[in-house]
Amino acid sequence: MSTEQNGSSPILDVESLKVYFPILEGFLRRTVGNVKAVDDVSFSLNEGETFGLVGESGCGKTTTGRAILRAIEPTDGEVQFMMKSGDRINTAGADRETLRLLRQEMQLIFQDPFASLNPRMTVFDVVADPLRVNRLARGSELEDRVAEMLRLVGLSVDYARRYPHAFSGGQRQRIGIARALVVNPRLVIADEPVSALDVSVQAQILNLMQDLQDELRLTYLFISHDLSVVQYLCHRVAVMYVGKIVEVSSTEDLFTQPRHPYTQALLSSVPVPNPAVQSRGMVLQGEVADPANPPSGCYFHPRCPFARDICREQEPPLKEVSPGRFASCHFADEIELPGVPG
């Protein structure tokens, strides 16, 4: 199942990706079940776009991103990535040497800039480390590349010999971005890169990411639970619920006319800076489904106000409901759901 935009070249194709974590019990640690953290996820990423992956905490967003990079081993599925050379590589089945080459072109920006930087390494060593590990530069060339990357992210080269504790949260995240980009990747997976920062600093980091995308021709997979950030930054969005993608759409269409009830529930939680605008919609009842023991049929049906018998019995496929729009709902063509007021 492809969810790519027409006219764009896909740089990443994720097909039926699954990540299951075994549940072990007893003295012999026998497997008695699985937590289905990522359950049959498919989407495509187009070169040069920012693709958002959103959902509640625990829905599988971060696990999906790390499985793409093979930081977590996928249980099943394929992740086809197009290298600069034009070769398409399945990262899910790549050997160690191929992975080393892939990770020069696929990098990760971590959520917490306080935890993701080694406090015993200087800024220079933090940014230079990927170049050293991949044997891409040494000596004066190494120093020049680190200095240039620090300038690109808005940090003074004079900071290079300082340690991470000397910097604010926004500055630390700039160091993390420099570390990710110093090997000149094509794809950057940004895992909640601004959620740990103050709002004013968030705007600075998001603007920096946009500028770097234009300058370095980057493609972003942007993982977030903050829909206002996603609306600002992303071209397309995929919505996840309990390990599954329930909707994929352009950002504008998703926010103005959602096609899945869960998407509409998420949009209802987006604050509107207008006291005259009343609450728009649904407040979900019940609890998020247990990924170790999900309900039959549609995982969302116990909380969905539109659920019918078929929703309890049959799992809806992720199907194209209009050009470029995909939804996993039996009644996506019938129900009318309000979006976010303009």
Side-chain angles (χ1 to χ4, degrees):
M1 190 279 299
S2 175
T3 60
E4 67 186 72
Q5 287 180 318
N6 294 331
S8 297
S9 174
I11 190 174
L12 183 76
D13 282 309
V14 179
E15 290 289 341
S16 303
L17 182 66
K18 297 179 181 179
V19 181
Y20 293 174
F21 296 107
I23 302 172
L24 305 176
E25 285 188 359
F27 178 75
L28 299 177
R29 311 299 291 164
R30 298 172 61 181
T31 300
V32 296
N34 290 287
V35 176
K36 299 179 179 179
V38 179
D39 192 12
D40 200 22
V41 162
S42 299
F43 61 89
S44 295
L45 218 65
N46 302 309
E47 188 169 9
E49 79 168 334
T50 301
F51 185 86
L53 196 57
V54 305
E56 295 172 278
S57 295
C59 71
K61 308 183 299 295
T62 293
T63 305
T64 298
R66 299 197 175 198
I68 290 171
L69 285 168
R70 280 279 296 280
I72 293 175
E73 288 293 329
T75 304
D76 197 8
E78 291 190 356
V79 180
Q80 298 285 343
F81 176 72
M82 180 176 287
M83 306 279 284
K84 293 175 184 175
S85 63
D87 296 332
R88 296 191 71 85
I89 305 294
N90 178 19
T91 71
D95 58 30
R96 185 170 182 175
E97 179 59 24
T98 304
L99 272 180
R100 188 182 68 81
L101 296 175
L102 278 167
R103 285 171 179 162
Q104 296 175 28
E105 302 193 22
M106 304 168 67
Q107 284 289 311
L108 177 65
I109 298 173
F110 294 92
Q111 175 178 358
D112 187 356
F114 295 91
S116 61
L117 303 179
N118 189 332
R120 298 186 177 184
M121 296 174 68
T122 65
V123 170
F124 178 87
D125 289 329
V126 167
V127 178
D129 197 47
L131 296 173
R132 289 170 173 155
V133 169
N134 291 287
R135 301 186 293 275
L136 297 176
R138 57 188 299 180
S140 60
E141 182 186 359
L142 179 71
E143 294 181 1
D144 290 343
R145 290 183 65 171
V146 171
E148 176 61 23
M149 188 51 60
L150 289 177
R151 283 191 290 267
L152 275 176
V153 300
L155 293 174
S156 170
V157 178
D158 295 336
Y159 295 164
R161 300 303 173 184
R162 298 182 186 179
Y163 289 86
H165 71 266
F167 298 93
S168 67
Q171 288 173 320
R172 291 189 195 194
Q173 196 60 291
R174 289 173 187 267
I175 296 168
I177 293 171
R179 176 179 58 186
L181 300 185
V182 73
V183 293
N184 193 26
R186 301 187 73 204
L187 171 66
V188 175
I189 297 177
D191 183 13
E192 304 262 17
V194 297
S195 64
L197 306 177
D198 293 339
V199 174
S200 60
V201 180
Q202 286 184 14
Q204 296 172 21
I205 297 299
L206 293 174
N207 289 333
L208 172 65
M209 291 181 65
Q210 284 187 319
D211 292 341
L212 291 172
Q213 182 175 37
D214 294 337
E215 185 170 350
L216 303 178
R217 301 180 63 187
L218 298 172
T219 302
Y220 290 135
L221 174 60
F222 190 86
I223 298 169
S224 181
H225 67 274
D226 189 334
L227 287 171
S228 59
V229 170
V230 168
Q231 184 179 24
Y232 174 75
L233 192 69
C234 297
H235 301 103
R236 289 190 302 140
V237 183
V239 180
M240 288 191 71
Y241 183 75
V242 193
K244 291 183 178 290
I245 287 181
V246 297
E247 184 165 358
V248 181
S249 173
S250 71
T251 304
E252 181 179 359
D253 288 342
L254 187 95
F255 276 78
T256 55
Q257 190 180 15
R259 304 300 292 271
H260 194 283
Y262 177 65
T263 305
Q264 199 274 321
L266 287 182
L267 295 176
S268 296
S269 67
V270 177
V272 177
N274 185 349
V277 176
Q278 297 182 350
S279 176
R280 304 178 295 288
M282 89 173 62
V283 176
L284 291 179
Q285 305 298 318
E287 300 294 330
V288 177
D290 182 0
N293 185 28
S296 61
C298 174
Y299 285 5
F300 187 61
H301 86 256
R303 308 175 75 192
C304 181
F306 304 99
R308 305 179 195 174
D309 288 342
I310 190 175
C311 304
R312 302 175 180 89
E313 299 165 359
Q314 297 181 22
E315 180 182 342
L318 186 63
K319 62 182 180 180
E320 191 167 18
V321 294
S322 62
R325 301 202 65 183
F326 299 79
S328 176
C329 177
H330 291 296
F331 305 106
D333 294 324
E334 301 177 21
I335 55 179
E336 293 289 333
L337 300 171
V340 176

